């Protein structure tokens, strides 16, 4: 478990990083927190010719509110999301999600940009940015591109990012009046990748949803913004309607089978999460048990 | 040996004024380890040392047609690339059988595969280079022409006539079969309710923090091989290395300093370790092998892959009338060397039904070959299988007749005053304490209150369960374990103690330390018996040149056997010291005592002379001693149990857990253990051994499983997919003790290392079934994953 020898460059600026990416293309890998990249290299699953370390780029760090947008720098570490008052106030979903990401040692190094660019379909933050309707900001030789989170994830470890582009920030709309969040995942152990997880963002008014965005993860090759949510928006949520929504969800999802769960179990757990989410956000515990039991 | 015990009321050799026995004293090696001064083989660097990496078969079963290493050999840093055929010239193959396991057969195994690889992960070539990274680079450029052969992977069909025979010379895939028929099972079952279940156990492995590590250093000048290795049994390694390299044992020295965890994984001889010894001899330089994590999963022994059909007979009054089992286990392509892979199944036969009164017991165990990694002894060998089957059946029987699980145990556990006695399988019990342990457990957990809480919560659709598991544990093994079967594995241990020139004590013991506290218990015993403070006792272990000959540390033998040797050696040295003191002080040995580093009057406690002064006289002014006195300030004693083949211990565990019936997730809320290991030397070390053991058992119950596909590929050989138990999921574990010392030694200590692992999974499985009773499910498979539970509940 020793990585193949590789060259290493520590970028001095975003511009410099982009130059290095332009020079090396897909032979290069960007090193951010390194929590997924380094194990993959040590297992020789990846053997880039060169690592471009962006760890020194202060311009990619930090969390700021600009108008009604919360801007999170790509190098913001998980531990910073956990402790940030801005995140707690404007996007507490990220804080709640990050508490489930691995363990403190990993959260101390892992970054939001790294997690999104890595695009592991079982990881928490990609689903969160879907639910939050966030925008991914990338920079490349041609300048800046802003990609809707819904357009960003393309498959397992695949994103809309080109090899010569760098993910620089995430923009999250500031939570408005009546916005509520729900985050839960089922994992065998604390810190494991989820078997199924849900990051949800809702606007609750008069005991119903005027908006509901359900970001499921570990249910396919990328995070899924579930269309089934539409059934619950601007409707009186009864157990029967919720059952209709969970049935629609089961149809919509196409989860994989792996060592932790069959596809059927993933559908079952996703439905349980949806019920728990609705029950929690509407403060109606009786919804949790479903209509049929 | 004869054991002297003081009459009641008198101080024993252990109850002395500065005794450390029964006290939680800090381990002497703690500061050293905490300050990063441990000496692990993984960290060892020697001049001219090279690193070996093994190219391993990607197939479960394949013919090795050709190996082309021409390109790799020319790569930077590569010293040599050696195939199995080439290494054969230096080291002979072995066969892992023991004569007392009648009928056990296996095929010759080579240090590196010759012609054929029999499991995914078997080494087919060694790459020796100046660094591990260089060796891994070169490995990618070796091309091996394999011809894939049919792989035997399902133990259930391994014996079918249509199944490929892995070793044609053996005739079939059956490695070992044992049957036992005690009492009259058929007759007993006639008038009984009979409950039957199939128990399924996942394959798992030890996952030591420090992987297996060895540095072999052949000195051609001395004609001597020094092996630095993280092992539990240095003298066994010495014997085996010498045997297969054509050396005398005196030509092999094994040094084992700190070891980052063993759990039974490091008590075996592995092919890649043998290859490393041989490579050092072949290349005449130090060679280091440290398994990486993937290699560890693919080559560290696996354990527990059993399918066991069990039956129990019970009468309406709760009397258990019989046990019957049919156990099947698959051990990989070879029986492991030198302890063999039949021991676990053999233990299952020995232990099922062991805590209970019924004399009617029938058993069959079959051990079959497969093209998977080798299986062998791992912490609590066979115990978790036997305990889960026995206790699972007892709970099923109780449910059948509508009796409380505690009540059925109360009516069937062997009475505490019935000893000595023997089990239907012939296991001899000196003194066990099942009923005292059960009573203590019920009091610790407040059983009745817990049942009431369970009932109240059930009404609110919260499903909690209580599971109980009694167990017996094999400890302090005599020669009956391995020696009688022809293995050169010592069951005796030795300790040498000597007084240095300033009155401190140097102690050499043949037991080893892997973190469980061997060093501490030895110092505590020697300090107590001699009358010397622990800070003046220095313990050396893990060096075949510098310790007495002995077995090492495995099967919960360190305290019970090595501890007794330490006690006897310290007693002898104490007598020698008192003889000299009497001569110097013109007194008699009987009138003197040693307390806290000084000779005192036994009668009035008046100080007479410091040990420091006595040592000065003996070593530097012997001219002043009376004529005829030859002081012997060093004593050595050995010990082995002879009367009982094993010092059985017993205990009982309970689990309290909650199941989310919507998701299948289990939350462990609390775990209790009451255990009887005889004399307790260091309560903290004993309790933490038990806690660690419980955690390992909980891992088996809920998490751990080596998952193979139908082609024999291990699909989760990494720490992300193979789930070890972690602190976040662990409950508080309360521990209580009942103390029944063994009378076979003056120390009275039995083992405690495996009790936790023995019963934890059984307690959890019983608790899961208890929680799910309203749903009419019955689960007899571990690990109890959410998938298994949801499937049983019919939710998916």
């Amino acid at each position: 478990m020793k990585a193949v020898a590789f060259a290493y460059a520590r970028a001095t600026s975003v511009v410099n990083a982009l130059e290095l990416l332009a020079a090396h293309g897909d032979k290069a890998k960007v090193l951010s927190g390194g929590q997924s990249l380094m194990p993959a290299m040590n297992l020789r699953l990846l053997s880039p010719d060169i690592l471009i370390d962006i760890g020194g780029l202060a311009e990619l760090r930090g969390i700021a509110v600009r108008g009604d947008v919360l801007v999170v720098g790509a190098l913001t570490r998980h531990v910073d999301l956990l402790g940030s008052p801005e995140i707690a106030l404007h996007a507490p979903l990220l804080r709640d999600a990050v508490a489930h990401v691995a363990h403190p040692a990993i959260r101390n190094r892992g970054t939001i940009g790294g997690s999104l660019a890595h695009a592991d379909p079982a990881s928490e933050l990609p689903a969160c940015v879907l639910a939050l309707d966030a925008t991914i900001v990338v920079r490349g030789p041609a300048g800046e591109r802003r990609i809707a989170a819904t357009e960003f994830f393309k498959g397992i470890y695949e994103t809309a990012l080109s090899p010569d582009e760098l993910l620089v920030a995430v923009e999250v709309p500031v939570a408005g009046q009546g916005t509520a969040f729900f985050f839960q995942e089922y994992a065998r152990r604390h810190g494991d990748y989820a078997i199924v997880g849900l990051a949800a963002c809702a606007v609750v008014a008069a005991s119903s949803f005027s908006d509901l965005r359900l970001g499921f993860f570990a249910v396919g090759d990328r995070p899924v913004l579930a269309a089934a949510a539409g059934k619950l928006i601007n409707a009186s949520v009864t157990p029967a309607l919720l059952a209709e929504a969970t049935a629609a969800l089961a149809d919509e999802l196409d989860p994989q089978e792996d060592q932790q769960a069959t596809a059927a179990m993933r559908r079952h757990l996703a439905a349980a999460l949806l019920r728990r989410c609705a029950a929690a956000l509407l403060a109606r515990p009786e919804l949790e048990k479903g209509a049929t039991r | 040996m004869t054991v002297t015990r003081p009459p009641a009321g008198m101080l024993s050799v252990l109850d002395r004024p500065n005794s450390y026995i029964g006290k939680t004293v800090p381990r002497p090696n703690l500061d050293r380890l905490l300050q990063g001064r441990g000496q692990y083989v993984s960290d060892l660097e020697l001049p001219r040392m090279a690193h070996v990496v093994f190219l391993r078969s990607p197939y479960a079963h394949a013919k090795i047609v050709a190996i082309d290493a021409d390109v790799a050999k020319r790569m930077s840093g590569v010293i040599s690339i050696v195939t199995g055929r080439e290494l054969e010239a230096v080291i002979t193959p072995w066969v892992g059988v023991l004569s007392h396991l009648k009928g056990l057969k296996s095929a010759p195994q080579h240090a590196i595969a010759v012609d054929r690889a029999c499991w995914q992960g078997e080494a087919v070539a060694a790459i020796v280079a100046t660094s591990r990274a260089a060796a891994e680079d070169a490995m990618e450029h070796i091309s091996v022409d394999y011809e894939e052969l049919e792989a035997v992977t399902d133990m259930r069909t391994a014996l079918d006539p249509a199944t490929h025979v892995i070793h044609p010379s053996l005739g079939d895939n059956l490695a070992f079969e044992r049957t036992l028929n005690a009492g009259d099972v058929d007759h007993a079952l006639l008038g009984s309710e009979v409950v039957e279940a199939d128990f399924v156990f996942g394959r798992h492995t030890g996952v030591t923090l420090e992987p297996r590590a060895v540095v072999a250093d052949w000195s051609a000048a001395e004609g001597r091989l020094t092996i630095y290795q993280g092992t539990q049994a240095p003298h066994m390694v010495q014997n085996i290395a010498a045997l297969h390299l054509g050396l005398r044992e005196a030509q092999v020295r094994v040094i084992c300093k700190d070891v980052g965890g063993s759990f039974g994984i490091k008590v075996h001889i592995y092919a890649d370790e043998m290859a490393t010894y041989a490579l050092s001899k072949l290349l005449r330089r130090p060679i280091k092998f440290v398994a990486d994590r993937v290699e560890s999963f693919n080559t560290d022994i696996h354990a527990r892959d059993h399918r066991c059909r069990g039956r129990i007979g019970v009468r309406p009054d709760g009397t258990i009338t019989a046990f019957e089992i049919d156990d099947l286990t698959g051990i990989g392509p070879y029986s492991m060397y030198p302890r063999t892979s039949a021991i676990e199944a053999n233990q299952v036969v020995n232990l099922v039904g062991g805590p209970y009164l019924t004399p009617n017991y029938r058993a069959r165990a079959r051990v079959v070959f497969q093209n998977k990694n080798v299986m062998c002894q791992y912490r609590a060998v066979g115990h978790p299988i036997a305990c889960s089957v026995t206790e699972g059946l007892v709970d099923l029987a109780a449910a059948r007749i509508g009796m409380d699980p505690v009540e059925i145990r109360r009516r069937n556990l062997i009475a505490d005053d019935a000893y000595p006695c023997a089990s239907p399988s012939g296991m001899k019990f000196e003194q066990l304490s099942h009923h005292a342990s059960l009573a203590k457990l019920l009091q610790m957990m407040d059983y009745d209150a817990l049942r009431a809480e369970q009932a109240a919560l059930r009404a609110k659709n919260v499903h909690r369960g209580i599971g109980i598991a009694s167990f017996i544990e094999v400890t302090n093994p005599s020669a009956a374990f391995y020696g009688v079967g022809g293995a050169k594995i010592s069951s005796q241990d030795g300790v040498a103690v000597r007084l240095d020139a300033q009155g401190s004590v140097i102690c050499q013991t043949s037991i080893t330390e892997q973190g469980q506290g061997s060093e501490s218990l030895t110092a505590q015993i020697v300090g107590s018996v001699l009358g010397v403070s622990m800070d003046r006792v220095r313990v050396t272990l893990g060096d075949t040149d510098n310790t007495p000959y002995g077995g090492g540390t495995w099967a919960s033998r360190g305290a019970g056997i090595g501890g007794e040797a330490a006690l006897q050696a310290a007693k002898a040295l104490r007598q020698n010291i008192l003889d000299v003191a009497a001569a110097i002080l013109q007194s008699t040995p009987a009138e003197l005592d040693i307390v806290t580093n000084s000779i005192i009057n036994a009668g009035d406690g008046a100080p007479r002379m410091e040990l420091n002064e006595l040592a000065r006289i003996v070593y530097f002014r012997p001219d002043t001693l009376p004529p005829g006195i030859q002081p012997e300030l060093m004593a050595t004693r050995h010990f082995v149990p002879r009367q009982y083949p094993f010092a059985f211990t017993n205990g009982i565990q309970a689990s309290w857990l909650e199941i989310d019936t919507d998701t299948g997730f289990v939350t462990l809320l609390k775990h209790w253990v009451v255990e009887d290991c005889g004399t307790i030397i260091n309560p903290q070390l004993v309790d933490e051994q038990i806690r660690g053991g419980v955690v390992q058992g909980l891992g088996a119950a809920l998490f751990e499983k080596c998952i193979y596909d139908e082609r024999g590929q291990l699909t989760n050989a990494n720490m992300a997919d193979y789930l070890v138990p972690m602190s976040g999921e662990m409950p508080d574990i309360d521990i209580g003790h009942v103390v029944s010392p063994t009378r076979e030694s003056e120390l009275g200590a039995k083992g405690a290392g495996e009790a936790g692992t023995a019963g934890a999974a059984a307690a959890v499985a019983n608790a899961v079934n208890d929680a799910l009773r309203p749903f009419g499910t019955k689960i007899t498979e571990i690990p109890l994953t959410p998938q298994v539970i949801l499937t049983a509940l019919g939710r998916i």
Side-chain angles (χ1 to χ4, degrees), chain B residues 149-216:
Chain B
L149 302 170
E150 189 186 330
V152 179
T153 56
D154 188 340
M155 63 167 108
R156 289 170 296 186
T157 53
L159 298 177
D160 291 355
T163 301
H164 181 83
V165 174
I166 296 174
H167 304 294
S169 64
L170 300 180
D172 57 27
N173 289 326
L174 182 67
F176 178 65
E177 177 164 4
R178 180 182 168 195
T179 56
L180 180 87
N181 201 349
D184 188 342
V185 172
D186 292 329
H187 180 76
L189 291 181
L190 270 180
S192 305
E193 292 269 4
V194 179
V195 189
E196 189 170 300
D198 286 315
F199 295 86
V200 180
F201 301 85
R203 218 176 218 260
H204 54 115
T205 183
V207 197
T208 57
L209 191 57
E210 184 196 22
R212 291 187 293 109
V214 55
V215 173

Side-chain angles (χ1 to χ4, degrees), chain B residues 3-16 567 571 743 745-747:
Chain B
V3 169
T4 48
R5 274 173 184 276
M10 269 185 65
L11 285 183
S12 80
V13 68
L14 300 170
D15 293 325
R16 296 173 41 76
L567 183 153
K571 253 177 86 176
R743 300 189 73 82
S745 71
E746 209 168 338
L747 182 62

Side-chain angles (χ1 to χ4, degrees), chain A residues 1 44 189-190 259 268, chain B residues 136-137 662 702 715 724 729:
Chain A
M1 284 179 62
R44 297 195 175 210
R189 304 173 303 179
H190 288 85
Q259 291 171 349
H268 173 87
Chain B
E136 288 189 18
D137 285 346
D662 241 4
L702 296 183
T715 58
V724 296
E729 284 63 51

